[in-house]
Amino acid sequence: MTSSNLTRGAATWALLSLAVGSFGIGMTEFVVMGLLPNIAEDLTPSLWASSSEDAIAQAGWLISLYALGVVVGAPTIAGSVAKYPRHRVMIGLALALTVFNALTFLAPTFEMVAASRFLAGLPHGAYFGIGALVAADVLGPGMRAKGVAFVLTGLTVANVVGVPLGTYLGQQVGWRAAFMVVAAIFAAATILIAIFVPEHPGDPGRTLRAELKVFGIRQVWLALGVGAIGFGGFFAVYSYVAPIVTEVAGSPEWVVPVVLVLMGLGMTAGNLVGGHLADVNLKRTLIGGLIGLAVVLVLLAVTAQWIWALGFFVFATGFVASVLSPTIQTRLMDVAADNQSIAAALNHSALNIGNSLGAFLGGLVIAAGWGFVAPAWVGVALALGGLALALTSLALERRRVSVPV
């Protein structure tokens, strides 16, 4: 059975199978944020003893390395496998995610954990990019953004269920247990994809060289910049949620998973709303989302000492950021001409440059002694930077200037 003649039930199972994998990706990417203090204390004990802030800032490099893996892997893997049947590619990517997350669970030192996080990031972008193309085909024409949003739903639901539970489990029995669960989820996804995702041909005529022509399109670079810089504002805060809750708001450690649930609820709602709004008016959704992200981060920064306000604005941050996610991906696919495979994956390179940039700059201001609320102000600056790029992109488009660089 191919994706073009699926029954409704078969299509649902295919989409759910892909969503299990995206749930695992959401958990492996974001559970680190809630466990940063635990990881820092375990893997850098001497640095932790002298300065917990420096240890947490160093542990933040694990977030950046995962994001770097996504940045490297998304275009190279997606471009290299564009000619192969997509359902088989998805099985291979899910299997790779299983193995690399098992390595994080087993690695004994900070350096080896760091290497495993880079490797775990490599299949991330290609999984979402190719999965989005499969899901869009399953849903049918006229529903591209909704197809993208469905694939991302597993990621956002992970932030409601998987990340908080993984954080709690890691706090109680050790942070490695969270990654053992992640590896098991990816193993299940591998089996489900093999059973339920239908045959989906690739493009036999596509080569990596042909796919890389996408980098000659100016609007593609601007769209990538919007994702990398603008979305970095979200990650500047999300990366340091745990110390913001405990050190700024003065709440006990058990409150961290609760706040992460609020973030996940916001992300899930925002993803669904964003898919709809992007189909209605993509450009207004893009501009409004970036302005909204900057405003929400300002409000979070000035009220973070009150846990009730922090919880509300963490929810709002997740909501606005996830409105942007399918919007940015759809925009990138719109400007990428016929380079759809690599364009769909490149969105995750861009978002994870934002992940790496936000985590790095957030750690930098913490290590400089500016406090744990300082990353929120970094996030404001990044969101405004993304807004400037989005306005530039749309202005050039209005003038019909989309000449290759």
Side-chain angles (χ1 to χ4, degrees):
M1 184 175 290
T2 64
S3 57
S4 60
N5 60 6
L6 288 180
T7 66
R8 181 169 183 152
T12 299
W13 276 105
L15 293 173
L16 287 174
S17 300
L18 294 172
V20 170
S22 65
F23 180 95
I25 289 178
M27 190 170 175
T28 193
E29 180 175 16
F30 296 124
V31 77
V32 177
M33 282 74 161
L35 293 173
L36 269 187
N38 309 80
I39 295 171
E41 185 176 9
D42 179 45
L43 295 179
T44 59
S46 58
L47 183 58
W48 177 269
S50 61
S51 171
S52 61
E53 288 190 358
D54 288 347
I56 290 172
Q58 180 171 319
W61 277 96
L62 298 179
I63 300 170
S64 297
L65 284 168
Y66 180 92
L68 180 62
V70 180
V71 172
V72 172
T76 53
I77 294 175
S80 298
V81 302
K83 64 182 179 180
Y84 298 110
R86 288 171 179 158
H87 62 292
R88 295 181 184 175
V89 170
M90 295 302 294
I91 294 171
L93 293 172
L95 182 60
L97 285 160
T98 304
V99 173
F100 294 144
N101 280 279
L103 288 177
T104 299
F105 166 65
L106 296 170
T109 65
F110 179 84
E111 291 76 15
M112 293 185 68
V113 169
S116 74
R117 297 312 295 153
F118 173 78
L119 291 172
L122 290 174
H124 172 131
Y127 183 97
F128 274 121
I130 297 171
L133 295 175
V134 174
D137 189 47
V138 166
L139 289 178
M143 302 180 70
R144 291 180 312 136
K146 290 184 179 67
V148 170
F150 194 100
V151 173
L152 293 171
T153 296
L155 185 151
T156 58
V157 171
N159 283 278
V160 180
V161 180
V163 173
L165 289 179
T167 299
Y168 180 78
L169 178 66
Q171 290 172 345
Q172 299 305 309
V173 301
W175 65 268
R176 294 179 187 276
F179 290 95
M180 179 180 66
V181 172
V182 168
I185 291 169
F186 281 125
T190 304
I191 295 170
L192 289 171
I193 291 169
I195 295 172
F196 293 111
V197 173
E199 293 184 10
H200 195 285
D203 185 349
R206 299 303 292 178
T207 64
L208 177 59
R209 182 176 180 180
E211 289 284 318
L212 290 178
K213 289 180 180 178
V214 72
F215 291 110
I217 303 173
R218 177 176 295 159
Q219 286 287 3
V220 166
W221 283 104
L222 289 168
L224 291 174
V226 171
I229 296 175
F231 214 79
F234 165 72
F235 286 111
V237 170
Y238 196 5
S239 299
Y240 300 98
V241 162
I244 292 173
V245 169
T246 57
E247 303 300 324
V248 179
S251 298
E253 191 177 61
W254 65 264
V255 177
V256 175
V258 177
V259 173
L260 290 173
V261 168
L262 292 173
M263 177 72 86
L265 289 171
M267 293 176 70
T268 301
N271 182 58
L272 296 174
V273 171
H276 171 72
L277 292 178
D279 277 334
V280 173
N281 192 314
L282 189 146
K283 296 174 183 178
R284 289 182 183 176
T285 303
L286 181 62
I287 298 302
L290 290 164
I291 293 172
L293 182 59
V295 170
V296 166
L297 290 176
V298 168
L299 295 172
L300 185 150
V302 299
T303 62
Q305 66 267 37
W306 299 299
I307 188 60
W308 61 268
L310 178 62
F312 176 81
F313 287 117
V314 160
F315 172 89
T317 300
F319 178 88
V320 178
S322 286
V323 166
L324 282 169
S325 185
T327 305
I328 294 172
Q329 175 134 21
T330 306
R331 170 66 178 173
L332 186 56
M333 293 167 69
D334 282 346
V335 300
D338 60 349
N339 305 290
Q340 294 296 297
S341 293
I342 196 167
L346 277 173
N347 180 55
H348 296 277
S349 286
L351 298 186
N352 278 273
I353 289 174
N355 187 345
S356 181
L357 184 65
F360 172 73
L361 293 178
L364 204 62
V365 294
I366 290 172
W370 294 357
F372 287 111
V373 78
W377 294 109
V378 171
V380 173
L382 290 172
L384 293 176
L387 175 63
L389 286 174
L391 291 172
T392 300
S393 174
L394 296 179
L396 289 173
E397 189 171 75
R398 282 194 297 270
R399 297 171 192 166
R400 301 182 182 276
V401 180
S402 56
V403 182
V405 295

